[in-house]
Amino acid sequence: MPAAVVLARRLKALGTPALKYVPIALAISLALGLSACWGDYRLAESQREAAAIIMRLPRPRNSTVWFEGHRGFHHYMELLGAKAANKEGPFPASGDLVVLPHNNTNVFGLNPRYAASTRFVKLTASRWVATMCPPVGAGFYSHLFGPAPFVFGPVPLEQYTIGTLRTP
């Protein structure tokens, strides 16, 4: 807000010719804002789509699907009946599936000696703008993901690893 006041005073001091640039600045700001919204929307949609695909994967009868991670993926997986994995328990059993989203928080991993098989789901979020993507430095919701709130350029696929558990 203070920056807007300073800018308004500066434009007033420059006179009428400077005001002709205001619509251009507003148009650029609008385009950037809508682009960031689009990237975030596509990320959420890809997480919803991934949850639906994962929950339709063939798995042993009476098995449970567990997942790690938070944010939108957590929400969509719980809506479809999956359970959040937790280091303190309860713990997955042999035949259960454990899903690890690569672009997420609170993912503690799966010990390879417990995995009977591993599958991958890869989806496109947005091809040209990212809001949460460590490989490109986008960290809209957390500086731990990247220094910029959104980034333009090639965006890698969203990847999920699905392990079927076995008793070692």
Side-chain angles (χ1 to χ4, degrees):
M1 186 63 140
V5 172
V6 170
L7 179 62
R9 286 183 180 168
R10 180 71 179 138
L11 286 172
K12 186 177 179 184
L14 290 173
T16 308
L19 293 177
K20 69 180 179 182
Y21 297 108
V22 171
I24 296 169
L26 289 174
I28 292 170
S29 298
L30 179 63
L32 289 174
L34 289 175
S35 296
C37 286
W38 172 254
D40 204 40
Y41 166 77
R42 286 300 309 140
L43 177 61
E45 280 296 301
S46 73
Q47 292 172 345
R48 183 187 59 75
E49 186 180 350
I53 290 169
I54 290 165
M55 293 304 286
R56 287 193 309 261
L57 289 174
R59 62 180 189 265
R61 191 177 191 97
N62 298 324
S63 65
T64 302
V65 177
W66 298 82
F67 65 92
E68 297 180 14
H70 283 283
R71 299 193 341 244
F73 183 67
H74 181 155
H75 172 74
Y76 296 122
M77 289 297 284
E78 281 189 339
L79 278 178
L80 296 174
K83 293 184 179 182
N86 188 329
K87 288 183 178 181
E88 286 80 41
F91 299 105
S94 188
D96 287 354
L97 269 60
V98 176
V99 183
L100 309 171
H102 290 231
N103 180 17
N104 213 303
T105 58
N106 297 351
V107 178
F108 45 90
L110 174 65
N111 189 327
R113 68 185 182 135
Y114 294 114
S117 65
T118 305
R119 295 178 266 189
F120 300 95
V121 171
K122 296 180 182 183
L123 297 170
T124 301
S126 169
R127 296 178 195 266
W128 54 275
V129 61
T131 55
M132 289 297 289
C133 187
V136 298
F140 191 85
Y141 298 104
S142 172
H143 71 285
L144 300 175
F145 274 61
F150 54 93
V151 173
F152 294 103
V155 179
L157 297 173
E158 291 293 311
Q159 183 172 318
Y160 303 83
T161 301
I162 302 104
T164 303
L165 296 185
R166 66 173 170 177
T167 306

